[in-house]
């Protein structure tokens, strides 16, 4: 049902490497199809977007304009929600907004003794595109998590694209667009949506950055337009790593593991504990609870192929292992979790204590649920306001500063055989300095 | 010699678009070669790195170990430099270090009334790779600009790769590696160096991020390994945009334009002014000074194919145009440049006032010279300490907080048909709350 490993085994390192191995698919045929779609959208614009959308999503639109949904309909979808859903969405949006306010970066400057001023000016991007998957993975929480940081950053215009197969669209997704501050919404998806956002068409405006998850066609298209526009990281399957001292309810931990395993068959759920009896108790809880889940079959496959219960010697060893795994979600289900925090080097999000279920972070705790997967927390961060701001260096030399720096730049530029650089600096040298 | 445009011309928009058009080359044959090199390095490791290096760089090394240069040699290279070069490098390194200290980001937390703690923990990447081009474009300043921000961020180990065709290496590059805090240095280049850093070999350690400029093989390899490791932006040709009110010496402005035009034939140098007589004076200065440059032929070609003198009506129009161009380097060669600063939305670096030659920023002013090109300052920032730090979200729910958030998460999770998410949250609800 789920692999049981121990760091005492001589083969543990190899077993762990095999468990963690996940290569994001790079399919030559998909790359070829995506390349053709991008070229078509670049050359034919809206006509290509319309044709692909009618074909792939079984639509019968006469123009891309018809594929845009006006804000009044988002508002109507929001107003039509059951009260509990409306209030939950509102609370989540407010908490996400409050948390992300803390990430706003400001311009800064400082002056040197000779009057030279140095600094950075922070500005927001002008226009951002948000990709929202359609069908069964069309999550309103994703709309909040992608759009709100951009809004907090001060982005002028947020353009959302979401495929609507057969014209069907989740009303909670529309409601979330209303709450999150989206500006325009097109029911277009796939590589054609990414291409339209990257190059612009008559109807769909060109954006500066494209964020949001998607299938392999969307991911391949994002990689292809990277550089032309900015993109977020290519997301892999969801992961949870629970480190437990053995004192949390086994049922709680089992359900936390299920909460990622139910995402899809490639999701990864791992529990690490120094307590062998606790590992056995969680295993028993999982066996008892799994059949009661609506998505039992997905969770079962995920746990069988990529899950693990890992016994370690000490909690310190568990933390070292967590850093090696660099998980998307890390639960520290232990006493005094704050004592371990300084030792966590790599994790997308850290859920501290027995009460902080990972699922709270998916919806409404405040932090973003777009997190680095597949070990990329070694070099990536949660999606945040900083992803929608950028910086310009500021250099304002006083005459005295330019004279002193000019002498230095002249030597280095001539050392690099860039004479015009040197002469440009030398013009500003005051021979009396 | 150089195009002369005016915003009054009906065709100005089209002329400007044509001038700015630059498509980074994506060559199918290069992509194929790079893909083969990466696969070979993944499978055969050092043996492949060695074979490619001996072949492409005309080396005769017996092992990759032989291609590593120990720090004592960097130190010796530094000590052997002429005094003026040594002092200039030291001053530049110190100023770059001082400036980048201001970019360090810190962890933060806040507590909510019910005791729930939210925040972000900021950590440094463990190991970073820096690519330094060989041959004529092997610039010591690039070593400083790429390595120092990583060092300031707290990166544990910086691995530098630089091709040494025929075994030759610029001693100033070694000296810069010594000053900048590089940890290991391999004379390996091309796609094989990128592949080795991305996947690791027995001799060359795997890194978390690869930064630094390179030729089309290096750029293509970086794009191919993106996701497996982090990379910086793919750099395009250098650009300078000078906005001048007409009161700066025409010779100074001419030489500032040359300082980018001399980089390569695809570099872009543009001057914008509302003063027609000044534009004519700069043109005359350029005609007089160009033949005196060592790199006159490169600058001439760059100016002829991609340069421009643009007449506008007002300085405000010049600033609007600067935002449209979103240049790598923007010189505000005007009175009171600070009044225009809040209106600059897109620029890699802003050089304020008549004394701030762009070249000062290339070497020693302090800010980074790795800047977004080809309009990418719309969504990218100068290379900085923030490129080598990353964040983990922190969520520590109090029992009361988990209970309240659990009710919200339960509603939203059930709305998304993710039952295990909901039940995991519901376990933490206190029915008496």
């Amino acid at each position: 049902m789920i692999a049981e490993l121990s760091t005492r085994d001589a083969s543990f390192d190899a077993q762990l490497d095999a468990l963690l191995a996940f290569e994001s698919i790079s399919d030559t045929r998909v790359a070829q199809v995506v390349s053709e779609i991008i070229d078509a959208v670049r050359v034919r614009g809206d006509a290509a977007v319309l044709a692909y959308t009618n074909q792939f999503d079984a639509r019968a639109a006469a123009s891309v304009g018809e594929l845009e949904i006006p804000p009044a309909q988002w508002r109507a979808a929001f107003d039509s929600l059951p009260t509990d859903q409306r209030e939950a969405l509102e609370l989540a949006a407010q908490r996400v907004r409050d948390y992300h306010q803390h990430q706003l970066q400001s311009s800064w400057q400082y002056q040197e003794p000779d009057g030279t001023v140095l600094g950075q000016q922070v500005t927001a991007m002008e226009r951002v595109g948000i990709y929202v998957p359609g069908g069964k993975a069309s999550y309103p929480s994703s709309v909040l998590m992608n759009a709100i940081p951009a809004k907090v950053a001060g982005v002028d215009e947020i353009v959302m694209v979401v495929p609507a197969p057969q014209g069907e669209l989740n009303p909670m997704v529309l409601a979330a667009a209303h709450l999150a501050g989206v500006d325009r919404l097109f029911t277009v998806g796939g590589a054609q949506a990414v291409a339209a956002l990257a190059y612009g068409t008559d109807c769909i405006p060109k954006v500066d950055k494209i964020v949001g998850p998607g299938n392999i066609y969307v991911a391949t298209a994002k990689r292809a337009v990277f550089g032309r526009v900015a993109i977020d990281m290519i997301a892999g399957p969801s992961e949870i790593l629970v480190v437990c001292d053995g004192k949390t309810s086994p049922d709680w931990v089992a359900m936390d593991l299920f909460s990622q395993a139910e995402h899809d068959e490639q999701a990864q759920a791992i529990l690490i504990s120094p307590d062998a009896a606790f590992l056995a108790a969680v295993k028993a809880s999982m066996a008892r609870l799994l059949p009661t889940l609506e998505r039992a079959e997905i969770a079962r496959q995920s746990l069988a192929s990529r899950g693990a219960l890992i016994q370690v010697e000490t909690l310190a060893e568990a933390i070292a292992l967590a850093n090696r795994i660099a998980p998307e979600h890390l639960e520290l289900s232990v006493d005094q979790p704050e004592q371990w925090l300084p030792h966590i080097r790599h994790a997308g999000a850290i859920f501290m204590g027995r009460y902080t279920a990972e699922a709270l972070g998916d919806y409404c705790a405040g932090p973003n649920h777009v997190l680095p997967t597949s070990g990329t927390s070694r070099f990536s961060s949660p999606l945040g306001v900083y992803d929608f701001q950028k910086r310009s260096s500021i250099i304002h030399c006083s005459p005295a500063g330019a004279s002193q720096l000019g002498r230095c730049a002249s030597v280095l530029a001539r050392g690099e055989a860039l004479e015009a650089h040197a002469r440009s600096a030398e013009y500003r040298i005051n021979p009396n300095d």
Side-chain angles (χ1 to χ4, degrees), chain A:
Chain A
M1 172 192 171
I2 184 167
E4 296 176 71
L5 312 182
S6 165
T7 53
R8 289 193 211 180
D9 286 352
S11 61
F12 174 76
D13 280 343
Q15 290 176 319
L16 183 67
D17 285 346
L19 189 74
L20 299 178
F22 180 81
E23 195 75 27
S24 67
I25 313 149
S26 156
D27 183 307
T28 312
R29 196 192 59 80
V30 170
Q32 181 58 36
V33 170
V34 166
S35 171
E36 285 168 15
I37 292 174
I38 292 174
D39 288 346
V41 171
R42 285 185 67 172
V43 173
R44 297 194 291 123
D46 283 331
V49 172
L50 183 67
Y52 287 123
T53 302
N54 283 340
Q55 177 188 346
F56 296 141
D57 292 340
R59 305 288 299 271
S63 70
V64 173
E66 269 184 36
L67 299 171
E68 182 168 8
I69 301 186
Q73 286 188 39
W74 325 342
R75 173 75 199 225
F78 177 75
D79 290 339
S80 306
L81 288 181
T83 306
D84 64 338
Q85 287 192 351
R86 203 170 59 233
E87 289 180 354
L89 266 188
E90 279 180 318
L91 177 63
Q94 187 56 48
R95 290 188 59 86
V96 171
R97 198 174 293 119
D98 289 347
Y99 175 84
H100 284 80
Q101 291 283 355
H102 291 261
Q103 294 176 339
L104 262 174
Q105 302 179 316
S106 304
S107 305
W108 51 272
Q109 291 192 352
Y110 62 97
Q111 190 170 38
E112 301 191 312
D114 66 15
T116 293
V117 172
L118 300 174
Q120 277 195 322
Q121 175 157 291
V122 179
T123 50
M125 295 178 197
E126 284 187 19
R127 194 187 284 127
V128 162
I130 292 180
Y131 191 95
V132 176
K136 60 177 180 175
S138 187
Y139 295 139
S141 56
S142 288
V143 177
L144 300 185
M145 294 292 183
N146 281 278
I148 289 175
K151 200 76 188 174
V152 171
V155 169
D156 300 342
E157 188 175 23
I158 299 173
V159 181
M160 176 171 148
V161 293
V162 54
Q166 284 89 40
E168 281 182 31
L169 201 53
N170 180 346
M172 278 189 85
V173 164
L174 286 181
H178 165 71
L179 268 183
V182 168
D183 294 285
R184 299 183 70 183
L185 193 161
F186 294 89
T187 54
V188 175
Q192 58 276 19
V194 174
L197 291 172
Y199 290 94
T201 68
D202 287 341
C203 282
I204 300 176
K206 176 185 181 334
V207 301
D208 299 313
K209 183 164 189 167
I210 302 173
V211 299
N215 63 20
I216 186 175
Y217 290 91
V218 172
T220 302
K222 280 169 68 181
R223 183 185 286 272
V225 300
F226 165 71
R228 168 111 194 148
V229 297
I231 63 170
D232 56 357
M233 290 297 294
I234 309 287
S238 292
E239 309 153 4
I240 186 169
L241 173 61
V242 181
V243 170
C244 188
D245 55 13
K247 299 190 226 162
T248 308
S249 156
D251 282 3
W252 288 22
V253 170
M255 197 59 77
D256 293 356
L257 295 170
F258 291 152
S259 76
Q260 293 308 296
E262 75 171 343
H263 266 297
D264 61 69
E265 292 83 353
Q266 296 188 299
Q268 182 153 64
I270 298 176
L271 168 62
I272 305 180
S273 178
D275 184 334
F278 178 73
L279 289 169
V282 173
K283 191 180 175 195
S285 286
M286 292 173 82
R288 178 170 44 82
L289 292 170
L290 184 62
T292 72
L293 294 181
E294 288 169 12
R295 299 167 69 91
E297 200 39 52
I298 293 170
R300 189 190 313 277
Q301 289 186 38
S302 152
L303 293 166
S305 62
R306 301 201 72 218
L309 308 175
I310 302 179
Q311 190 180 348
V312 290
E313 301 285 319
T314 62
L315 275 182
E317 190 185 11
I319 297 296
L321 205 47
N323 281 327
R324 176 167 161 198
I325 295 171
E328 181 189 19
H329 303 106
L330 172 63
E331 276 190 17
L332 296 180
S333 198
V334 300
D335 284 334
Q336 294 184 284
E338 56 282 358
Q339 70 175 304
W340 298 106
L341 195 54
H343 304 287
I344 304 294
R345 182 84 180 250
H346 308 301
I350 307 166
F351 299 80
M352 299 172 66
R354 310 183 201 287
Y355 283 89
T356 314
E358 186 281 322
L360 304 182
D362 284 339
Y363 294 107
C364 55
N368 211 287
H369 79 192
V370 180
L371 296 167
T373 58
S374 304
T376 59
S377 62
R378 295 184 62 84
F379 51 78
S380 295
S381 301
L383 189 72
V385 173
Y386 35 77
D387 285 300
F388 302 103
Q389 294 185 304
K390 72 260 179 8
R391 307 167 186 81
S392 304
S393 304
I394 297 169
I395 312 178
H396 192 169
C397 288
S398 66
S403 183
Q404 189 219 1
L405 294 177
R407 294 179 197 275
C408 177
S410 164
V411 171
L412 294 174
R414 291 189 182 276
E416 294 183 354
L418 292 173
E419 186 208 11
H421 283 68
R423 288 170 66 180
S424 156
E426 289 157 9
Y427 275 142
R428 274 82 169 184
I429 295 175
N430 178 346
N432 301 321
D433 270 357

